[in-house]
Each structure stands twice: as C-alpha cells, then as structure tokens.
Amino acid sequence: MRRISLVLLLAACRGWGNLPDQDNVYTGPLWDPNAVWSTPDGLYLSLPASKGLGLLDPATGKLEKVVLEGDVDVIRAAPDGERLAVFTDERVCKDPDGELEDCDDFTDKRRLAVVQGGRAEVTVDISEGWNQLTFTPDGRTALLSIDTTLLDDVGAVLDLTSLLAVNLDDGASATVHVGFAPDELLFTTLPDGTNDRAVVLAYGEVAVVDLMASPPIRTVSFPLVLDPDDIAVPSDVVLTPDGNHAMLSIAGATELYILDLLNPNINIVDLDAPPVAMNVSAEADNTLIVSTSASSFTLVDHQFFDATVIEIDEPKSAVLDGGAFDLLWSPKQGQDVLRVDPLTGGVVEYRLQTAPTQLLLSPTEEFAIALTAQNQDFGSPFYGHPGLEILNLASEDVQPLLLESQGIAAAFTATEGSLHALILQEGVDYVYALDLYGGQNIEIDLEEPPITIGALSDGNFYVTHDDPMGLISIVDPDGDVTLLSGFATTGIFDAFGPSESGDY
Amino acid sequence: MWTILFAPAALALPPMEVAIEVGSLHNGDSAYDVVSDEDIVTSVGLRGGIAVAGPLHVVVGWHRASQGASVFAGETAFQSAYQANEWTGGLKGVWHLHDVIQPYVSAQALVLQGAFKFDGDASDDDNIDQLVERAVHPGGMATLGACATVPLPDWPAQPALWLEGGIAGVSRATYGNFGDMAAGGFIFRAGAGVQF
C-alpha cells in the first residue's frame, strides 16, 4: 500500500524534463519562420497547422489570432507595408442549419480579406480559382488573376481572360475582361501618386485598364505581332513616367517595342544587344537598358526614343533603382558595381573583391551592401571566404569585410540620425550589425541559428529561428536581444481540430 | 494498518470501504489530440466510502491522469503533456443482493483540474520553451457497478473488487492561449480494496 501510494505521488509530481511520453501525434508546422510580415501593427505570422494568421506584438511576445472567415490559403503583403491580403477558403453546408461534419451537400467559399490592425477590415467573396494577386503601388487596388499551374483541381468553369479588380478601401470588386490570360501587370501613376491605369501584358498582346473608372474597364487592347501564329514573349517591360508609353523587350530579340498606350501603335527601336533589364528614371526622363551580351548600357530618352550607347568594362545583367542613380551589377558574375547618373550617363565604378550574390540598397540610398560568394582568387586575402562589401554611394569607397559563412540576407533600419544594417549568415548563431554612420560594427549572439531577418517599424530588427513552438529574437541595433518564444502554441488546439475548408 | 482495519468494528463505525482504482474517461475533444491518438483519458486513483443511511453510502475519490506525446509539427518536434486531477464526491446506493455480489448505482460531482504542458526540449529541464496552462472543469458522473467481496466472517475486513461504468461530463474550460476543451462520455472505473 505504501509503495503504491508512493508511485501515485510520483506520478502526480512529474515535472519538466520528465513529462509523460506515451504517444506520437502529427500536425503541420505551427508557424513558418520564413513567412513573417512586419507592419506597424506588429509581426503577422502564417500559422499553417491551424490554417490561420497571427499577429505578434514584438513588445510583449503575445500572439493574437486574426479572426477570418475560413482557412488561410495565400498571404500577400500590400506595397504600403501596412496591410495584408489574405485568400481564405471555407466549406459551407448548403443547409443553413446543417453541420459540416454531417453534410452531404456543401459549397466552397473563397474570400479575399484585407487585414490591418489585427482584423479583417474588408472581406470580399470571390470565385473559385482566383489565386494570383498584384497590388497597385498606391495600395488602393488589388488585381486578381488565375494561374492554372497553381490549381490542384478545377471545380468550376474559369475565365482565364479576365481580371478581378478589388478596391481595398471599400471592398468593391468588378471583373474586367481583357481578352487574354494576363501574364504581367504594370501601373501608370498620376502626380499625386494614384495609379490610374493598369497595363496588362501576355504572350503577344497588351491591354490597358482604366482603374479610375467605376467599375474599372479595359480601354485599349492591341496585339504585339501581326500574325497571331507568331508569339512574342515579353522579357521585361517598363512604363514611361507619363504613363503614355510602355517599353517592352522580347526574349532574345534586340528590338525594343515602344507601345503608344494613348494612340495604340507600336514603334520599334533597334538595340545593339538583347535587353535583359531596364530601369526608368523619372528625373532624367529616360530608360537605362543593360544586356549580358554587350559591354555597354543604353539610355533611351522618352521623347524621341533615341538610344545612346555608353561603353563599360563588362556586361551587366541587373539594375537597382536608386532614385537619382542606377546601380548596375551582375549577380554572381563580374566584380564591378557601377553607379550611373541617368541624366548624364556618368559612371562611378566600385571594384569588389568577389562577385556579388546580392546587392541591397539602404533606404536612405546612401549605401549599398554587396553580399559576395566564396572568393576564388588564390592571391586574394579573401580567398576561400565569402564576404560583405559596403559601398559608400556618396563617394567611391568600398569597405570589404570577410564573413564566416555565406551572407544570405540583410535588413536595414533607418531612424533620425542613425542607419543600421543587420547581416544574416548561413548556419551561424549570430548576426552582424553594421552602424553605417558611426562605423561601429558588432556581432550579436543569438539563442539559435537565424532563419530570416527583417526590420521593425520601431528601428529594431527581428530574427526568426527554426523552433516548432515559435522563437523570434528582437534585436536592438546596439546589440540587446529580447527573445519571444512559445507564441506559436497560441490556439494550438485548433491545429488538431477540423478544418474550415474541408481539408484535414 | 491493522489499527485502521479494526477501527470501524472497535469504534462501532458504519461500514466503510477503501480502494485503489484505475479508470478511463472518454475525451473526444480535438484539443486532447495534442497529447494522444486515442480519445481515452486513463487514470489511477483512490476511492473511499462510508455508509450513511441504509443502502446509501457517501463516496469520494481522486484520480490522476498523465498523458503525453511527442508532437511532430512539420519537420520539427516538441513534447506535450496533459496532467489532471479528477476529484469526485457523491452518493452511492448499494443493493445487498447477497454476500458476494452487491450491485450499486452512484451519482457524483466530478471536478477535473487539468494542465496542458508543452516543452520544446525534453532533454533540458530549464529551457525557454516550457509552457503550462491550467483550467478547472466542473461536471458530474453517474455510474452503474457491482462490488464483489470475499466473505471472511472472522475478519474485520473483506477484500473486495469494484467494477463500474457510466457516463460523465465536464464543462468546457479555457487553457489560456492554447484554446479550450471539454470532456465527457463513457467513464469506467475498476478497483481493488477492502470493505469493513
């Protein structure tokens, strides 16, 4: 009797490190450290197991689930950095009094919810199939289309040649027939920042949608090629600042198509080499074009569309828009980064120790950070190591730093009088913080190896970690780290409950 | 021990019983799936009773449930545990059919005092991923059972076995941020002890 009582008492007092473990249970990830969105509300997190969305308060570590109708399918951040667009699915019994578990006759509801302030501000019922979303840069409108490659199965008749325009302020939606399956969307901008038109492109066709009309309507549509059997695959497209012309490059072709969107017609400008990237300068009113097959770049003015070719040392394949300047570079190829003044065509060359894998521009456009691959130059002091190089865009200075591991991401925070960057390296359990004004750089130790980093609106950084119950480090640029842990267990019972979309 | 067994007779106390029990309580709530693939909460405990008027006995009991699992959440895992005290108290009506078998019915209040625990690293007694939330569920249970005794007239106490089943239910209660849970359905208890 005494022995049995002792066993019972021990069973009653099992503590941490000695929890009962008789079973294995399975669910999806409670959260995804790669799916985190920083907004002024806090950090929105995808909660895959419970098919939900959570809002984490970085100050308290408390997670609140966002109440949505249905299960979360896709989450997209609006360009204003303040709102999220969330596609949800819900299986509903047609009998309003029926329980879903016992229902034989049900229907699937798909919705688009605009989330801000921790709640769905606008919810719009949409048809099955809409799965691609493009925001206008002003954040007023979302244009939805259908990508059939993302559809598991098709349970209805789908119109692939239309767009669904959703006003994110009031939830009003309208279908816009463009006549072909959209491939790419661009937007024209009025002086007040409002996006008034959408330019819709697909294989061989262009249409213009008036977004200011109520409901939005297609105004212009014309083919890129005269023979419908010919297919022209756009590789890049930009709009002139006045929105009257689209400049479109075709994969592998040296011709630059100038589309007049007001009086539909096409002019063609012959270039020396096939364009691979373009960037429009509003200030210079021209477009800079680079090609991988020519050691030059081209400036095309927007008035007469004359091309001016400027020779450089090596071809470039990417352009980073710095506002008053363009940064020309080639991912993983070439050690030069060029700062180009689009007004004059003047070039400043920054010579890196190693070819960059990423080039990131600070929000103040004063500095750029190049994350470089492992150096293969035997004679270089950087040989065998990846690196980080800080480009001072106000001068020609480059500060190279050797990294312990490959740099995979960087985030910037800018507050009045300070500019910091946080560098994430692959598989190391610290981040490197750069004080870009003060020049004081420090290593900040973390509890676990980081997965992703980002900036918070208060000037701090967040770093996510691969922890099943949730782990995020809030990093002060001075090196103070606050751990937020366990938040993904909020609503954990829902992860084991029935799904609202009928999937289990 | 002997003092206790002989006490009722020596002090002319009414008939009493004590038992060690095992039990199970149905829990079909999806919240319980976080610690078990089964919908059954097993427990061990103690029960005591005393006759108060004729066939009526007052019975009280305490059971302890302790269930845990390794939770595989995608490609990573952590540990979960549910630990609960089940407190019961009520009346039992016994039908003295004969000296060996005594059927009975009981109606008791049931208070379930539960705790869900999650541990991110079971090998480390002190890590940041140790979370616990507790809740109390009031409820009740009604059972039908039988007691089998071995008559030993010269002994102050008789060995006895109990077997009972019925229905039980406790209210829905919230475990902090984890969510809420209710429990209820079939309840089963079996025990071994003495009557004296």
Side-chain angles (χ1 to χ4, degrees), chain A residues 358-391:
Chain A
Q358 290 186 60
L359 186 67
L360 303 125
L361 192 61
S362 73
T364 60
E365 295 165 354
E366 296 167 282
F367 295 90
I369 288 178
L371 300 174
T372 61
Q374 197 175 53
N375 186 292
Q376 303 295 333
D377 180 3
F378 187 68
S380 166
F382 290 82
Y383 176 72
H385 294 282
L388 157 71
E389 309 204 22
I390 304 167
L391 286 65

PDB file of all heavy atoms in Angstrom, chain A residues 358-391:
ATOM      1  N   GLN A 358      24.235  39.175 -53.865  1.00  0.00           N
ATOM      2  CA  GLN A 358      23.105  40.075 -53.623  1.00  0.00           C
ATOM      3  C   GLN A 358      23.634  41.496 -53.514  1.00  0.00           C
ATOM      4  O   GLN A 358      24.729  41.713 -52.979  1.00  0.00           O
ATOM      5  CB  GLN A 358      22.384  39.739 -52.314  1.00  0.00           C
ATOM      6  CG  GLN A 358      21.612  38.449 -52.315  1.00  0.00           C
ATOM      7  CD  GLN A 358      20.812  38.288 -51.013  1.00  0.00           C
ATOM      8  OE1 GLN A 358      19.958  39.099 -50.685  1.00  0.00           O
ATOM      9  NE2 GLN A 358      21.113  37.239 -50.281  1.00  0.00           N
ATOM     10  N   LEU A 359      22.839  42.437 -53.983  1.00  0.00           N
ATOM     11  CA  LEU A 359      23.178  43.850 -53.818  1.00  0.00           C
ATOM     12  C   LEU A 359      21.950  44.527 -53.231  1.00  0.00           C
ATOM     13  O   LEU A 359      20.858  44.466 -53.806  1.00  0.00           O
ATOM     14  CB  LEU A 359      23.558  44.476 -55.165  1.00  0.00           C
ATOM     15  CG  LEU A 359      24.068  45.916 -55.107  1.00  0.00           C
ATOM     16  CD1 LEU A 359      25.427  45.990 -54.396  1.00  0.00           C
ATOM     17  CD2 LEU A 359      24.212  46.499 -56.519  1.00  0.00           C
ATOM     18  N   LEU A 360      22.135  45.148 -52.067  1.00  0.00           N
ATOM     19  CA  LEU A 360      20.990  45.738 -51.361  1.00  0.00           C
ATOM     20  C   LEU A 360      21.258  47.212 -51.103  1.00  0.00           C
ATOM     21  O   LEU A 360      22.344  47.574 -50.669  1.00  0.00           O
ATOM     22  CB  LEU A 360      20.750  45.008 -50.042  1.00  0.00           C
ATOM     23  CG  LEU A 360      20.523  43.508 -50.200  1.00  0.00           C
ATOM     24  CD1 LEU A 360      21.505  42.735 -49.348  1.00  0.00           C
ATOM     25  CD2 LEU A 360      19.119  43.149 -49.843  1.00  0.00           C
ATOM     26  N   LEU A 361      20.236  47.998 -51.362  1.00  0.00           N
ATOM     27  CA  LEU A 361      20.358  49.445 -51.224  1.00  0.00           C
ATOM     28  C   LEU A 361      19.732  49.883 -49.906  1.00  0.00           C
ATOM     29  O   LEU A 361      18.631  49.427 -49.559  1.00  0.00           O
ATOM     30  CB  LEU A 361      19.626  50.099 -52.408  1.00  0.00           C
ATOM     31  CG  LEU A 361      19.829  51.573 -52.673  1.00  0.00           C
ATOM     32  CD1 LEU A 361      21.302  51.895 -52.970  1.00  0.00           C
ATOM     33  CD2 LEU A 361      18.960  51.985 -53.867  1.00  0.00           C
ATOM     34  N   SER A 362      20.437  50.757 -49.185  1.00  0.00           N
ATOM     35  CA  SER A 362      19.861  51.242 -47.922  1.00  0.00           C
ATOM     36  C   SER A 362      18.659  52.127 -48.228  1.00  0.00           C
ATOM     37  O   SER A 362      18.582  52.738 -49.298  1.00  0.00           O
ATOM     38  CB  SER A 362      20.913  52.031 -47.140  1.00  0.00           C
ATOM     39  OG  SER A 362      21.127  53.283 -47.745  1.00  0.00           O
ATOM     40  N   PRO A 363      17.696  52.227 -47.296  1.00  0.00           N
ATOM     41  CA  PRO A 363      16.501  53.047 -47.564  1.00  0.00           C
ATOM     42  C   PRO A 363      16.830  54.518 -47.782  1.00  0.00           C
ATOM     43  O   PRO A 363      16.068  55.235 -48.425  1.00  0.00           O
ATOM     44  CB  PRO A 363      15.633  52.829 -46.323  1.00  0.00           C
ATOM     45  CG  PRO A 363      16.518  52.225 -45.296  1.00  0.00           C
ATOM     46  CD  PRO A 363      17.613  51.531 -46.009  1.00  0.00           C
ATOM     47  N   THR A 364      17.957  54.972 -47.263  1.00  0.00           N
ATOM     48  CA  THR A 364      18.353  56.364 -47.469  1.00  0.00           C
ATOM     49  C   THR A 364      19.113  56.543 -48.775  1.00  0.00           C
ATOM     50  O   THR A 364      19.473  57.668 -49.134  1.00  0.00           O
ATOM     51  CB  THR A 364      19.253  56.827 -46.317  1.00  0.00           C
ATOM     52  OG1 THR A 364      20.422  55.985 -46.296  1.00  0.00           O
ATOM     53  CG2 THR A 364      18.555  56.729 -44.976  1.00  0.00           C
ATOM     54  N   GLU A 365      19.398  55.446 -49.471  1.00  0.00           N
ATOM     55  CA  GLU A 365      20.113  55.439 -50.755  1.00  0.00           C
ATOM     56  C   GLU A 365      21.506  56.033 -50.638  1.00  0.00           C
ATOM     57  O   GLU A 365      22.066  56.537 -51.605  1.00  0.00           O
ATOM     58  CB  GLU A 365      19.282  56.154 -51.832  1.00  0.00           C
ATOM     59  CG  GLU A 365      17.992  55.405 -52.124  1.00  0.00           C
ATOM     60  CD  GLU A 365      16.976  56.214 -52.903  1.00  0.00           C
ATOM     61  OE1 GLU A 365      17.214  57.401 -53.126  1.00  0.00           O
ATOM     62  OE2 GLU A 365      15.930  55.634 -53.258  1.00  0.00           O
ATOM     63  N   GLU A 366      22.079  55.953 -49.422  1.00  0.00           N
ATOM     64  CA  GLU A 366      23.447  56.440 -49.228  1.00  0.00           C
ATOM     65  C   GLU A 366      24.473  55.318 -49.325  1.00  0.00           C
ATOM     66  O   GLU A 366      25.643  55.564 -49.601  1.00  0.00           O
ATOM     67  CB  GLU A 366      23.569  57.099 -47.851  1.00  0.00           C
ATOM     68  CG  GLU A 366      22.723  58.331 -47.677  1.00  0.00           C
ATOM     69  CD  GLU A 366      22.641  58.736 -46.229  1.00  0.00           C
ATOM     70  OE1 GLU A 366      21.864  58.095 -45.476  1.00  0.00           O
ATOM     71  OE2 GLU A 366      23.348  59.679 -45.841  1.00  0.00           O
ATOM     72  N   PHE A 367      24.030  54.113 -49.021  1.00  0.00           N
ATOM     73  CA  PHE A 367      24.940  52.972 -49.006  1.00  0.00           C
ATOM     74  C   PHE A 367      24.293  51.804 -49.752  1.00  0.00           C
ATOM     75  O   PHE A 367      23.061  51.705 -49.830  1.00  0.00           O
ATOM     76  CB  PHE A 367      25.240  52.506 -47.566  1.00  0.00           C
ATOM     77  CG  PHE A 367      25.979  53.516 -46.744  1.00  0.00           C
ATOM     78  CD1 PHE A 367      25.295  54.460 -45.987  1.00  0.00           C
ATOM     79  CD2 PHE A 367      27.371  53.523 -46.715  1.00  0.00           C
ATOM     80  CE1 PHE A 367      25.974  55.401 -45.229  1.00  0.00           C
ATOM     81  CE2 PHE A 367      28.056  54.462 -45.955  1.00  0.00           C
ATOM     82  CZ  PHE A 367      27.360  55.398 -45.207  1.00  0.00           C
ATOM     83  N   ALA A 368      25.165  50.945 -50.264  1.00  0.00           N
ATOM     84  CA  ALA A 368      24.699  49.658 -50.780  1.00  0.00           C
ATOM     85  C   ALA A 368      25.563  48.582 -50.136  1.00  0.00           C
ATOM     86  O   ALA A 368      26.741  48.822 -49.809  1.00  0.00           O
ATOM     87  CB  ALA A 368      24.824  49.594 -52.290  1.00  0.00           C
ATOM     88  N   ILE A 369      24.954  47.446 -49.907  1.00  0.00           N
ATOM     89  CA  ILE A 369      25.684  46.317 -49.328  1.00  0.00           C
ATOM     90  C   ILE A 369      25.689  45.183 -50.339  1.00  0.00           C
ATOM     91  O   ILE A 369      24.630  44.784 -50.838  1.00  0.00           O
ATOM     92  CB  ILE A 369      25.039  45.874 -48.003  1.00  0.00           C
ATOM     93  CG1 ILE A 369      25.336  46.913 -46.921  1.00  0.00           C
ATOM     94  CG2 ILE A 369      25.537  44.505 -47.582  1.00  0.00           C
ATOM     95  CD1 ILE A 369      24.707  46.608 -45.601  1.00  0.00           C
ATOM     96  N   ALA A 370      26.880  44.714 -50.641  1.00  0.00           N
ATOM     97  CA  ALA A 370      27.013  43.564 -51.545  1.00  0.00           C
ATOM     98  C   ALA A 370      27.402  42.348 -50.713  1.00  0.00           C
ATOM     99  O   ALA A 370      28.381  42.385 -49.962  1.00  0.00           O
ATOM    100  CB  ALA A 370      28.076  43.846 -52.591  1.00  0.00           C
ATOM    101  N   LEU A 371      26.601  41.294 -50.820  1.00  0.00           N
ATOM    102  CA  LEU A 371      26.963  40.019 -50.216  1.00  0.00           C
ATOM    103  C   LEU A 371      27.650  39.214 -51.306  1.00  0.00           C
ATOM    104  O   LEU A 371      27.102  39.033 -52.399  1.00  0.00           O
ATOM    105  CB  LEU A 371      25.722  39.293 -49.708  1.00  0.00           C
ATOM    106  CG  LEU A 371      24.917  40.044 -48.641  1.00  0.00           C
ATOM    107  CD1 LEU A 371      23.618  39.308 -48.310  1.00  0.00           C
ATOM    108  CD2 LEU A 371      25.748  40.236 -47.381  1.00  0.00           C
ATOM    109  N   THR A 372      28.856  38.766 -51.014  1.00  0.00           N
ATOM    110  CA  THR A 372      29.641  38.132 -52.073  1.00  0.00           C
ATOM    111  C   THR A 372      29.842  36.648 -51.796  1.00  0.00           C
ATOM    112  O   THR A 372      29.824  36.202 -50.644  1.00  0.00           O
ATOM    113  CB  THR A 372      31.013  38.818 -52.228  1.00  0.00           C
ATOM    114  OG1 THR A 372      31.738  38.695 -51.003  1.00  0.00           O
ATOM    115  CG2 THR A 372      30.843  40.283 -52.572  1.00  0.00           C
ATOM    116  N   ALA A 373      30.061  35.915 -52.885  1.00  0.00           N
ATOM    117  CA  ALA A 373      30.251  34.471 -52.777  1.00  0.00           C
ATOM    118  C   ALA A 373      31.679  34.174 -52.317  1.00  0.00           C
ATOM    119  O   ALA A 373      32.479  35.085 -52.119  1.00  0.00           O
ATOM    120  CB  ALA A 373      29.979  33.829 -54.125  1.00  0.00           C
ATOM    121  N   GLN A 374      31.981  32.904 -52.164  1.00  0.00           N
ATOM    122  CA  GLN A 374      33.315  32.485 -51.753  1.00  0.00           C
ATOM    123  C   GLN A 374      34.336  32.954 -52.799  1.00  0.00           C
ATOM    124  O   GLN A 374      34.170  32.705 -53.990  1.00  0.00           O
ATOM    125  CB  GLN A 374      33.332  30.962 -51.625  1.00  0.00           C
ATOM    126  CG  GLN A 374      34.487  30.437 -50.836  1.00  0.00           C
ATOM    127  CD  GLN A 374      34.365  28.944 -50.647  1.00  0.00           C
ATOM    128  OE1 GLN A 374      34.199  28.208 -51.610  1.00  0.00           O
ATOM    129  NE2 GLN A 374      34.430  28.496 -49.411  1.00  0.00           N
ATOM    130  N   ASN A 375      35.368  33.608 -52.308  1.00  0.00           N
ATOM    131  CA  ASN A 375      36.377  34.149 -53.217  1.00  0.00           C
ATOM    132  C   ASN A 375      37.227  33.021 -53.804  1.00  0.00           C
ATOM    133  O   ASN A 375      37.699  32.147 -53.083  1.00  0.00           O
ATOM    134  CB  ASN A 375      37.257  35.138 -52.427  1.00  0.00           C
ATOM    135  CG  ASN A 375      38.228  35.865 -53.310  1.00  0.00           C
ATOM    136  OD1 ASN A 375      39.155  35.270 -53.848  1.00  0.00           O
ATOM    137  ND2 ASN A 375      38.007  37.162 -53.471  1.00  0.00           N
ATOM    138  N   GLN A 376      37.418  33.056 -55.124  1.00  0.00           N
ATOM    139  CA  GLN A 376      38.176  32.004 -55.802  1.00  0.00           C
ATOM    140  C   GLN A 376      39.538  32.506 -56.287  1.00  0.00           C
ATOM    141  O   GLN A 376      40.245  31.778 -56.977  1.00  0.00           O
ATOM    142  CB  GLN A 376      37.371  31.489 -57.012  1.00  0.00           C
ATOM    143  CG  GLN A 376      35.995  30.966 -56.676  1.00  0.00           C
ATOM    144  CD  GLN A 376      36.026  29.731 -55.803  1.00  0.00           C
ATOM    145  OE1 GLN A 376      36.989  28.962 -55.837  1.00  0.00           O
ATOM    146  NE2 GLN A 376      34.999  29.532 -54.989  1.00  0.00           N
ATOM    147  N   ASP A 377      39.891  33.723 -55.934  1.00  0.00           N
ATOM    148  CA  ASP A 377      41.164  34.292 -56.384  1.00  0.00           C
ATOM    149  C   ASP A 377      42.260  33.889 -55.404  1.00  0.00           C
ATOM    150  O   ASP A 377      42.324  34.390 -54.285  1.00  0.00           O
ATOM    151  CB  ASP A 377      41.015  35.822 -56.456  1.00  0.00           C
ATOM    152  CG  ASP A 377      42.301  36.494 -56.930  1.00  0.00           C
ATOM    153  OD1 ASP A 377      43.259  35.764 -57.246  1.00  0.00           O
ATOM    154  OD2 ASP A 377      42.317  37.737 -56.993  1.00  0.00           O
ATOM    155  N   PHE A 378      43.144  32.996 -55.861  1.00  0.00           N
ATOM    156  CA  PHE A 378      44.135  32.404 -54.955  1.00  0.00           C
ATOM    157  C   PHE A 378      45.028  33.453 -54.292  1.00  0.00           C
ATOM    158  O   PHE A 378      45.448  33.303 -53.160  1.00  0.00           O
ATOM    159  CB  PHE A 378      44.987  31.376 -55.724  1.00  0.00           C
ATOM    160  CG  PHE A 378      45.914  30.608 -54.839  1.00  0.00           C
ATOM    161  CD1 PHE A 378      45.430  29.710 -53.903  1.00  0.00           C
ATOM    162  CD2 PHE A 378      47.279  30.803 -54.930  1.00  0.00           C
ATOM    163  CE1 PHE A 378      46.284  29.007 -53.081  1.00  0.00           C
ATOM    164  CE2 PHE A 378      48.152  30.099 -54.098  1.00  0.00           C
ATOM    165  CZ  PHE A 378      47.646  29.200 -53.179  1.00  0.00           C
ATOM    166  N   GLY A 379      45.304  34.516 -54.995  1.00  0.00           N
ATOM    167  CA  GLY A 379      46.198  35.523 -54.440  1.00  0.00           C
ATOM    168  C   GLY A 379      45.513  36.518 -53.523  1.00  0.00           C
ATOM    169  O   GLY A 379      46.174  37.351 -52.894  1.00  0.00           O
ATOM    170  N   SER A 380      44.189  36.439 -53.395  1.00  0.00           N
ATOM    171  CA  SER A 380      43.457  37.429 -52.617  1.00  0.00           C
ATOM    172  C   SER A 380      43.455  37.071 -51.130  1.00  0.00           C
ATOM    173  O   SER A 380      43.380  35.888 -50.776  1.00  0.00           O
ATOM    174  CB  SER A 380      42.009  37.503 -53.118  1.00  0.00           C
ATOM    175  OG  SER A 380      41.211  38.203 -52.199  1.00  0.00           O
ATOM    176  N   PRO A 381      43.537  38.068 -50.272  1.00  0.00           N
ATOM    177  CA  PRO A 381      43.402  37.767 -48.831  1.00  0.00           C
ATOM    178  C   PRO A 381      42.018  37.237 -48.489  1.00  0.00           C
ATOM    179  O   PRO A 381      41.809  36.705 -47.399  1.00  0.00           O
ATOM    180  CB  PRO A 381      43.664  39.113 -48.162  1.00  0.00           C
ATOM    181  CG  PRO A 381      43.458  40.138 -49.218  1.00  0.00           C
ATOM    182  CD  PRO A 381      43.801  39.488 -50.524  1.00  0.00           C
ATOM    183  N   PHE A 382      41.060  37.366 -49.393  1.00  0.00           N
ATOM    184  CA  PHE A 382      39.700  36.880 -49.163  1.00  0.00           C
ATOM    185  C   PHE A 382      39.503  35.458 -49.708  1.00  0.00           C
ATOM    186  O   PHE A 382      38.408  34.920 -49.657  1.00  0.00           O
ATOM    187  CB  PHE A 382      38.679  37.815 -49.829  1.00  0.00           C
ATOM    188  CG  PHE A 382      38.570  39.145 -49.153  1.00  0.00           C
ATOM    189  CD1 PHE A 382      39.483  40.154 -49.433  1.00  0.00           C
ATOM    190  CD2 PHE A 382      37.577  39.396 -48.229  1.00  0.00           C
ATOM    191  CE1 PHE A 382      39.408  41.380 -48.804  1.00  0.00           C
ATOM    192  CE2 PHE A 382      37.487  40.623 -47.595  1.00  0.00           C
ATOM    193  CZ  PHE A 382      38.406  41.615 -47.885  1.00  0.00           C
ATOM    194  N   TYR A 383      40.600  34.870 -50.214  1.00  0.00           N
ATOM    195  CA  TYR A 383      40.496  33.571 -50.875  1.00  0.00           C
ATOM    196  C   TYR A 383      39.810  32.531 -49.968  1.00  0.00           C
ATOM    197  O   TYR A 383      40.174  32.358 -48.805  1.00  0.00           O
ATOM    198  CB  TYR A 383      41.888  33.058 -51.263  1.00  0.00           C
ATOM    199  CG  TYR A 383      41.857  31.672 -51.859  1.00  0.00           C
ATOM    200  CD1 TYR A 383      41.351  31.452 -53.131  1.00  0.00           C
ATOM    201  CD2 TYR A 383      42.307  30.574 -51.119  1.00  0.00           C
ATOM    202  CE1 TYR A 383      41.297  30.181 -53.677  1.00  0.00           C
ATOM    203  CE2 TYR A 383      42.259  29.299 -51.660  1.00  0.00           C
ATOM    204  CZ  TYR A 383      41.749  29.103 -52.931  1.00  0.00           C
ATOM    205  OH  TYR A 383      41.688  27.843 -53.463  1.00  0.00           O
ATOM    206  N   GLY A 384      38.838  31.861 -50.524  1.00  0.00           N
ATOM    207  CA  GLY A 384      38.157  30.788 -49.802  1.00  0.00           C
ATOM    208  C   GLY A 384      37.043  31.257 -48.881  1.00  0.00           C
ATOM    209  O   GLY A 384      36.410  30.436 -48.221  1.00  0.00           O
ATOM    210  N   HIS A 385      36.815  32.565 -48.815  1.00  0.00           N
ATOM    211  CA  HIS A 385      35.803  33.082 -47.881  1.00  0.00           C
ATOM    212  C   HIS A 385      34.730  33.902 -48.610  1.00  0.00           C
ATOM    213  O   HIS A 385      35.045  34.635 -49.539  1.00  0.00           O
ATOM    214  CB  HIS A 385      36.463  33.974 -46.826  1.00  0.00           C
ATOM    215  CG  HIS A 385      37.393  33.226 -45.925  1.00  0.00           C
ATOM    216  ND1 HIS A 385      36.968  32.443 -44.888  1.00  0.00           N
ATOM    217  CD2 HIS A 385      38.743  33.126 -45.947  1.00  0.00           C
ATOM    218  CE1 HIS A 385      37.998  31.902 -44.275  1.00  0.00           C
ATOM    219  NE2 HIS A 385      39.095  32.285 -44.902  1.00  0.00           N
ATOM    220  N   PRO A 386      33.510  33.819 -48.156  1.00  0.00           N
ATOM    221  CA  PRO A 386      32.503  34.766 -48.630  1.00  0.00           C
ATOM    222  C   PRO A 386      32.725  36.118 -47.957  1.00  0.00           C
ATOM    223  O   PRO A 386      33.473  36.210 -46.968  1.00  0.00           O
ATOM    224  CB  PRO A 386      31.178  34.136 -48.184  1.00  0.00           C
ATOM    225  CG  PRO A 386      31.540  33.313 -46.997  1.00  0.00           C
ATOM    226  CD  PRO A 386      32.958  32.867 -47.180  1.00  0.00           C
ATOM    227  N   GLY A 387      32.088  37.121 -48.470  1.00  0.00           N
ATOM    228  CA  GLY A 387      32.340  38.445 -47.921  1.00  0.00           C
ATOM    229  C   GLY A 387      31.131  39.357 -47.920  1.00  0.00           C
ATOM    230  O   GLY A 387      30.028  38.985 -48.353  1.00  0.00           O
ATOM    231  N   LEU A 388      31.384  40.520 -47.395  1.00  0.00           N
ATOM    232  CA  LEU A 388      30.386  41.579 -47.328  1.00  0.00           C
ATOM    233  C   LEU A 388      31.112  42.866 -47.688  1.00  0.00           C
ATOM    234  O   LEU A 388      32.177  43.148 -47.146  1.00  0.00           O
ATOM    235  CB  LEU A 388      29.839  41.651 -45.898  1.00  0.00           C
ATOM    236  CG  LEU A 388      29.209  42.961 -45.427  1.00  0.00           C
ATOM    237  CD1 LEU A 388      27.876  43.154 -46.122  1.00  0.00           C
ATOM    238  CD2 LEU A 388      29.017  42.948 -43.925  1.00  0.00           C
ATOM    239  N   GLU A 389      30.572  43.638 -48.628  1.00  0.00           N
ATOM    240  CA  GLU A 389      31.256  44.859 -49.023  1.00  0.00           C
ATOM    241  C   GLU A 389      30.272  46.028 -48.943  1.00  0.00           C
ATOM    242  O   GLU A 389      29.134  45.925 -49.423  1.00  0.00           O
ATOM    243  CB  GLU A 389      31.844  44.709 -50.418  1.00  0.00           C
ATOM    244  CG  GLU A 389      32.676  43.424 -50.511  1.00  0.00           C
ATOM    245  CD  GLU A 389      33.744  43.432 -51.582  1.00  0.00           C
ATOM    246  OE1 GLU A 389      34.147  44.528 -51.999  1.00  0.00           O
ATOM    247  OE2 GLU A 389      34.178  42.335 -51.969  1.00  0.00           O
ATOM    248  N   ILE A 390      30.717  47.074 -48.279  1.00  0.00           N
ATOM    249  CA  ILE A 390      29.858  48.248 -48.068  1.00  0.00           C
ATOM    250  C   ILE A 390      30.267  49.321 -49.071  1.00  0.00           C
ATOM    251  O   ILE A 390      31.416  49.769 -49.074  1.00  0.00           O
ATOM    252  CB  ILE A 390      29.994  48.771 -46.627  1.00  0.00           C
ATOM    253  CG1 ILE A 390      29.690  47.654 -45.627  1.00  0.00           C
ATOM    254  CG2 ILE A 390      29.069  49.953 -46.404  1.00  0.00           C
ATOM    255  CD1 ILE A 390      30.094  47.991 -44.197  1.00  0.00           C
ATOM    256  N   LEU A 391      29.345  49.711 -49.924  1.00  0.00           N
ATOM    257  CA  LEU A 391      29.615  50.725 -50.938  1.00  0.00           C
ATOM    258  C   LEU A 391      29.067  52.056 -50.437  1.00  0.00           C
ATOM    259  O   LEU A 391      27.866  52.173 -50.167  1.00  0.00           O
ATOM    260  CB  LEU A 391      28.931  50.364 -52.261  1.00  0.00           C
ATOM    261  CG  LEU A 391      29.516  49.247 -53.116  1.00  0.00           C
ATOM    262  CD1 LEU A 391      29.442  47.897 -52.430  1.00  0.00           C
ATOM    263  CD2 LEU A 391      28.785  49.179 -54.456  1.00  0.00           C
TER     264      LEU A 391
END
